[in-house]
């Protein structure tokens, strides 16, 4: 069993890696694979705004490239007073690549956090079953 507080702290630390050139909104993510390895991510922005990538997706893609396929939890930390909430695109990616049982810790700028589930974040999700 992992320590949620440690995971949250890793997401807060990962904010330092962000490149929020246009929004100045730093986001860090820490994704724990079932292997026990941790993968961090941070948002990276682009002057062609639509090419910006969120912290969650950099973490997931980083882990996938290392061969990980099973995941335990992700913590996401932002600069906001409220608990950060993953965007719709990231919800779809997290659901498909990390699975419906992923625990999602959403962290506010004070370091407080709340836990949610992928089922709550993305009900009725589109998935591979529809493509058969
Ligand atoms: N952002 C994330 O990285 N993750 C989220 O969950 C919400 C938004 C980033 C995208 C963009 O770089 C900045 O925050 C402002 O939207």
């Amino acid at each position: 069993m992992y320590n949620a507080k440690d995971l949250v702290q890793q997401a807060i630390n990962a904010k330092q890696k962000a490149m929020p050139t246009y929004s100045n909104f730093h986001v860090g993510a820490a994704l724990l694979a079932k292997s026990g390895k941790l993968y961090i991510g941070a948002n990276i922005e682009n002057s062609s705004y639509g090419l910006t990538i969120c912290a969650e997706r950099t973490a997931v893609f980083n882990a996938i490239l290392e061969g990980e396929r099973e995941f335990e939890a992700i913590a996401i930390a932002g600069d906001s007073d409220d608990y950060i909430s993953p965007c719709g695109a990231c919800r779809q990616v997290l659901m498909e690549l990390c699975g419906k049982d992923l625990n999602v810790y959403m962290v506010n700028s004070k370091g407080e956090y709340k836990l949610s589930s992928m089922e709550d974040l993305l009900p009725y999700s589109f998935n591979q079953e529809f493509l058969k």
Side-chain angles (χ1 to χ4, degrees):
M1 191 49 188
Y2 61 90
N3 183 308
K5 275 193 174 167
D6 287 349
L7 192 65
V8 163
Q9 189 56 53
Q10 295 284 355
I12 293 168
N13 295 348
K15 285 203 291 182
Q16 291 167 17
K17 307 257 184 191
M19 194 188 269
T21 315
Y22 304 97
S23 71
N24 198 32
F25 186 76
H26 296 72
V27 187
L31 174 65
L32 182 66
K34 287 206 170 156
S35 66
K37 273 191 74 178
L38 187 83
Y39 297 87
I40 62 158
N43 55 328
I44 302 171
E45 297 189 349
N46 192 279
S47 59
S48 179
Y49 301 151
L51 301 183
T52 289
I53 185 162
C54 294
E56 296 90 320
R57 276 176 285 155
T58 57
V60 174
F61 296 153
N62 192 7
I64 292 287
L65 286 176
E66 292 298 320
E68 301 288 359
R69 293 294 183 270
E70 292 189 311
F71 299 93
E72 197 89 48
I74 189 168
I76 310 154
D79 283 338
S80 48
D81 292 343
D82 201 357
Y83 303 101
I84 192 164
S85 184
C87 80
C90 287
R91 290 177 196 215
Q92 177 68 27
V93 169
L94 290 170
M95 178 64 100
E96 182 154 342
L97 297 181
C98 300
K100 66 178 178 50
D101 295 325
L102 186 75
N103 287 325
V104 182
Y105 293 88
M106 300 177 292
V107 188
N108 67 18
S109 56
K110 287 187 195 152
E112 299 159 339
Y113 60 90
K114 73 175 178 188
L115 172 63
S116 190
S117 69
M118 285 313 302
E119 300 264 43
D120 280 348
L121 291 171
L122 192 66
Y124 306 107
S125 66
F126 183 76
N127 59 54
Q128 294 165 356
E129 295 301 312
F130 289 95
L131 301 176
K132 287 181 180 156

